[in-house]
Amino acid sequence: MTLVAVTKTHPVKTVHAALDAGLTAVGENKVQELAAKREALASAPAVWHYLGRVQTNKARDIVRYADLIHGVDSLRAGEALARRMEAEGRRVPVLVQVNVSGEASKAGVEPEQAAALVDGLRGLGLDVHGLMTLASPADDPEAVRPEFARMRRLRDDLGGADRLPILSMGMSGDFEVAVEEGATHVRVGSALFGDRA
Ligand SMILES: *Cc1c(COP(=O)(O)O)cnc(C)c1O
């Protein structure tokens, strides 16, 4: 299980303190912030996770600065990433973002479309290492257990952990439940670093 320390909005010194404390995975959702922090901490042995949307005009910097791209939800985004990986000579694995909550405002493909997107991205030459989701906001994390369980079943239907080893799900409010339901990566910000400004 990997704890991704989500340091967005916090200064470089917070990231530095997190790495000093033994955390090894850092998550950011803005490319510029990811780039700046990575450059500032270039000598630190950290793995950098990009958690934001993949905008095609940001694909170059995402490919340059991320070690794992969590939120790919379209073939178009995949094409932009594949082109940039080719140009940069750098392969970065990706996760397919799935919208299990059914909220229209959320990014991610419908669960029914996940298989086609995984295949489509692999067809572009991308390394698809798993699935990612954001659960519905809920005061009681038990309320979102079915969403995490559905992600786990979806991953199993798509070939299981051999084919898709990563299941990125769970945040400050619900990571315990996500882990119980099979998360391999939890993305935790405020529970580690306090509220964001
Ligand atoms: C900000 C963010 C998180 C962390 O949220 P917390 O509630 O602070 O733990 C996790 N995942 C994504 C995609 C985020 O943008």
Side-chain angles (χ1 to χ4, degrees):
M1 227 279 306
T2 300
L3 170 58
V4 179
V6 181
T7 49
K8 64 190 185 196
T9 76
H10 293 288
V12 170
K13 71 171 177 3
T14 302
V15 189
H16 195 254
L19 296 173
D20 260 359
L23 290 162
T24 55
V26 181
E28 289 285 340
N29 73 335
K30 295 216 170 73
V31 197
Q32 304 89 312
E33 208 176 327
L34 169 67
K37 286 176 179 165
R38 187 168 193 158
E39 299 223 308
L41 295 165
S43 58
V47 177
W48 296 83
H49 295 248
Y50 179 67
L51 310 177
R53 294 208 79 156
V54 176
Q55 290 168 279
T56 53
N57 62 337
K58 303 276 171 62
R60 188 193 68 173
D61 280 348
I62 296 171
V63 165
R64 275 192 187 167
Y65 292 102
D67 299 310
L68 179 66
I69 302 166
H70 282 237
V72 179
D73 67 358
S74 72
L75 216 45
R76 189 163 166 270
E79 281 160 2
L81 292 172
R83 262 199 309 277
R84 283 304 173 176
M85 288 185 205
E86 178 81 37
E88 299 285 321
R90 176 174 156 81
R91 294 179 74 81
V92 185
V94 304
L95 308 180
V96 163
Q97 185 167 353
V98 180
N99 180 354
V100 271
S101 73
E103 291 168 279
S105 61
K106 281 246 166 79
V109 291
E110 301 299 312
E112 296 73 24
Q113 287 149 18
L117 185 55
V118 169
D119 288 345
L121 295 173
R122 286 190 168 144
L124 295 170
L126 291 177
D127 299 320
V128 183
H129 282 194
L131 306 177
M132 177 269 209
T133 199
L134 280 132
S136 306
D139 292 331
D140 177 5
E142 286 301 328
V144 293
R145 186 183 291 278
E147 295 181 15
F148 294 139
R150 183 156 188 215
M151 285 294 289
R152 164 74 167 276
R153 284 198 304 277
L154 180 61
R155 194 274 303 268
D156 291 346
D157 291 346
L158 299 185
D162 288 344
R163 227 176 147 239
L164 295 169
I166 296 180
L167 210 42
S168 169
M169 57 189 194
M171 308 182 8
S172 291
D174 54 21
F175 66 88
E176 293 98 333
V177 173
V179 170
E180 285 166 8
E181 295 300 332
T184 64
H185 289 58
V186 293
R187 310 175 308 264
V188 180
S190 49
L192 286 170
F193 306 113
D195 289 338
R196 286 178 289 274

